[in-house]
Amino acid sequence: MQLNVNIMFVEESHRHHLISLAIFCSLMGVRTVVAQEPTTGDKADTSSSPLDADERMRLARLDPVEVGHIYTMELEPGKFYQVETAAVNPPIFLIPDFLTTEECVQIKSLAESKSLEVSKIELQEDVGSRVDSTTDDYFNEDTFRKYDEDGNKQLDMMETRSALNRLEGVSDMTQAVFQLFFDSVVDLNSNRLMSSLEFQRIPLIMTKVDTWLENHDSELTPKEIKRLEKGPSRISQQVWIKRHEYDPNNVLFERLLELTGLHRDIIRTSENLQVVRYSPGGHYHAHHDTDEVNDAVPCAHTKHLYPLDQNSRSMSRRACRYATILYYLADTEEGGETAFPVADNETYFPGTWGKNDTTDLTDLTHHCKDANLYLRPNKGMAVMWYNHYNDEKTGWLGAANEFSLHGGCEIIKGEKWIANNWITVDDNYEMQMKLHQDELPKPEVHATSQDHHKPTPAATANNQEHASEQITGKHRKRQQEQTGDDSDRPTNHQAISTGGIALLLFLGIFTLLRGGCLAKPVKKNRKIWRQ
């Protein structure tokens, strides 16, 4: 047994209590480690001042330690949350009761009031706003009307094939191969019909189209036949909600900052909240939330910052989602698990996923419970995981983690309601900083005798803030000094109270008498979160 004592965020006057406890446990034969490192794995800067302009922001990352490890984190003043590791690769964490019942109801009601639409295999940006100004000579409204033979403003499978025959390789496809191509690449809303917007969108995804055509033969492989049988990639309804609508007082925003340890500008410039409803038969086959780093293709959330030219409207873009935080807004009667088919697998090679070559673990209609990890929806619980590695040299966004493959299993009975918070970060550091500078209000600078410097968009990963934004975590103390509030309330990133130290000492001694020292988290069933 090992006792880990982290004194990084403990006040100097209280540290001797924890050190005494560590010595006591050591005398009792328990291996004891005293550390001063923050739990995110990144060196914390305990000052409340922004970095100098020549210093770089780093991305915080919660250390999973091992499956079953539990952090107790103060995400709001006086309110503690359990954060449990469900997988190490990718790091997946479960946070029960992250949302209150009232917050779940509020978000659901707001989504319903906005009228959910059929979910699209698409990024957040509105397709219409991008295609209205396209000047493509072929993929335009005139060409669409030419192939819409029955005039119903939709191209069926045969009409679509005729319209796309000009793409190299399409004319040689069998009907089955074309149907797989249509389902996998060009059908935006999985209804096996093509609208004018979907047709005009094709130049925006031409890189994806070309890659698919280059890597597929004119005949289907056994695995592709299975994939065709599993049907549309996604069947659900969704709506996007802006933060000021669902979180007008920034309560969830601040809670999310404390959980992730990220700089607030990263959270503020990330995507809006996506709310999704699945009805019986609804699902989302296994997929990745992000795309692999590619210097030739800009990130979707910063693409608009690149210089405009005649080809910019049709330039491809990719998802750059550092982390996903998924919220369950309701319990589900049957089905609807969130599955991670290859979490903690030794290898990612698809041929090793199943028992034979025809097993497709991305098919969550037929192979949901063949996944290495699957989680039952539990109202109020949050699931957080990282879609990318961190670059060890720069501390910034690294390669995509293929093991983050995940999806939603088919709903058998009832409905499933979830919401997604995607944390977007451009691997091009300068473009991410430009996004912060261009789209966020400039902070006011309050010069004092202790703090006089110019504001900068860069800050440390552990909530290093602009001078005017001393709101949460380790910055609360300085805010209290500025406002005259000397209550000095402890937070997760600041200090542990005297009462908390005393309670910790009592529990430690009590547990020792029962045969242990600070009970080690129990490893629960990896596959289903307990009810």
Side-chain angles (χ1 to χ4, degrees), residues 24-140:
F24 180 63
C25 290
S26 180
L27 293 174
M28 297 297 293
V30 179
R31 185 185 176 201
T32 307
V33 177
V34 179
Q36 297 191 54
E37 296 299 317
T39 57
T40 58
D42 289 315
K43 203 74 173 179
D45 187 336
T46 56
S47 69
S48 56
S49 302
L51 291 176
D52 293 333
D54 59 347
E55 294 188 70
R56 289 174 60 96
M57 185 186 296
R58 297 176 67 89
L59 294 177
R61 187 182 188 87
L62 198 62
D63 183 2
V65 184
E66 62 179 356
V67 173
H69 180 82
I70 297 177
Y71 289 106
T72 297
M73 301 180 68
E74 186 180 13
L75 304 184
E76 296 179 53
K79 189 172 182 180
F80 295 85
Y81 294 75
Q82 300 294 308
V83 181
E84 178 178 2
T85 300
V88 173
N89 188 25
I92 302 173
F93 303 93
L94 312 180
I95 309 97
D97 300 319
F98 187 82
L99 297 183
T100 65
T101 298
E102 292 74 17
E103 289 167 340
C104 291
V105 171
Q106 177 192 5
I107 293 173
K108 278 184 58 181
S109 299
L110 188 57
E112 290 176 315
S113 70
K114 288 178 168 290
S115 300
L116 287 83
E117 299 179 350
V118 174
S119 295
K120 302 172 176 62
I121 311 301
E122 178 66 21
L123 297 176
Q124 179 188 346
E125 297 88 349
D126 175 61
V127 176
S129 65
R130 296 204 307 274
V131 303
D132 283 346
S133 302
T134 55
T135 57
D136 191 90
D137 293 335
Y138 185 80
F139 292 99
N140 52 46

Side-chain angles (χ1 to χ4, degrees), residues 56-57 59 265-266 269-270 290-306 317-323 388 391 394-398 423-436:
R56 289 174 60 96
M57 185 186 296
L59 294 177
D265 287 355
I266 290 177
T269 54
S270 290
T290 195
D291 293 319
E292 185 54 84
V293 172
N294 182 349
D295 293 339
V297 181
C299 291
H301 72 288
T302 55
K303 177 184 171 182
H304 64 284
L305 299 176
Y306 285 82
R317 80 281 180 276
R318 56 190 167 90
C320 301
R321 292 166 171 163
Y322 174 58
H388 282 262
D391 187 294
T394 65
W396 198 242
L397 193 78
I423 308 303
T424 50
V425 177
D426 196 323
D427 52 284
N428 184 324
Y429 181 86
E430 286 68 27
M431 291 306 295
Q432 183 70 29
M433 295 302 104
K434 180 174 174 57
L435 179 71
H436 296 175

Side-chain angles (χ1 to χ4, degrees), residues 10 23 37 107 170 216 226 271 281 288-289 332 380 401 403 417 432 455 467 475 477 481 505 516 527:
V10 181
I23 295 172
E37 296 299 317
I107 293 173
V170 171
H216 289 78
K226 285 287 185 181
E271 297 181 56
H288 293 99
D289 280 349
T332 302
N401 186 340
F403 292 89
W417 283 85
Q432 183 70 29
H475 304 294
K477 184 174 183 179
E481 293 172 351
L505 285 169
K527 294 201 168 185

Side-chain angles (χ1 to χ4, degrees), residues 332-524:
T332 302
E333 292 186 59
E334 185 176 358
E337 296 88 349
T338 301
F340 295 82
V342 292
D344 284 335
N345 239 35
E346 291 184 4
T347 63
Y348 179 76
F349 181 61
T352 67
W353 291 356
K355 299 177 181 178
N356 55 66
D357 291 338
T358 61
T359 300
D360 182 2
L361 291 186
T362 66
D363 179 358
L364 297 182
T365 296
H366 302 100
H367 297 288
C368 174
K369 295 186 179 179
D370 289 328
N372 287 353
L373 173 68
Y374 54 91
L375 308 169
R376 183 177 301 160
N378 197 321
K379 185 175 182 178
M381 184 168 78
V383 184
M384 180 178 74
W385 67 90
Y386 296 100
N387 300 303
H388 282 262
Y389 298 102
N390 285 27
D391 187 294
E392 294 183 359
K393 293 182 179 179
T394 65
W396 198 242
L397 193 78
N401 186 340
E402 294 177 317
F403 292 89
S404 65
L405 184 79
H406 68 282
C409 299
E410 185 169 326
I411 300 295
I412 307 302
K413 185 178 180 181
E415 288 187 329
K416 174 184 176 182
W417 283 85
I418 64 169
N420 291 305
N421 254 150
W422 282 304
I423 308 303
T424 50
V425 177
D426 196 323
D427 52 284
N428 184 324
Y429 181 86
E430 286 68 27
M431 291 306 295
Q432 183 70 29
M433 295 302 104
K434 180 174 174 57
L435 179 71
H436 296 175
Q437 292 172 333
D438 289 3
E439 299 198 356
L440 296 176
K442 299 298 185 292
E444 298 178 6
V445 179
H446 301 286
T448 68
S449 57
Q450 292 84 18
D451 177 24
H452 184 77
H453 51 262
K454 295 181 180 180
T456 171
T460 60
N462 291 301
N463 294 338
Q464 184 92 16
E465 300 302 335
H466 291 305
S468 68
E469 296 180 327
Q470 314 299 326
I471 298 179
T472 62
K474 61 179 179 293
H475 304 294
R476 188 174 287 111
K477 184 174 183 179
R478 184 178 174 192
Q479 182 194 44
Q480 291 164 351
E481 293 172 351
Q482 293 175 344
T483 59
D485 179 4
D486 58 1
S487 59
D488 197 27
R489 293 176 296 178
T491 69
N492 185 51
H493 295 299
Q494 188 179 50
I496 299 175
S497 68
T498 304
I501 294 292
L503 179 61
L504 181 60
L505 285 169
F506 173 77
L507 290 177
I509 296 172
F510 177 77
T511 307
L512 271 173
L513 296 176
R514 299 194 55 170
C517 185
L518 290 181
K520 188 177 181 180
V522 178
K523 292 186 179 181
K524 301 181 181 66

Side-chain angles (χ1 to χ4, degrees), residues 197-242:
L197 284 180
E198 288 174 309
F199 184 73
Q200 295 178 67
R201 161 187 175 264
I202 289 178
L204 300 173
I205 59 165
M206 194 55 71
T207 299
K208 184 177 181 181
V209 170
D210 291 340
T211 300
W212 198 96
L213 294 175
E214 290 173 2
N215 293 318
H216 289 78
D217 298 325
S218 58
E219 297 291 336
L220 293 179
T221 65
K223 183 167 288 189
E224 288 172 335
I225 293 174
K226 285 287 185 181
R227 183 175 181 183
L228 190 61
E229 291 174 351
K230 76 182 182 182
S233 296
R234 184 177 191 181
I235 299 177
S236 62
Q237 294 177 302
Q238 68 180 35
V239 69
W240 295 92
I241 305 177
K242 295 181 179 179

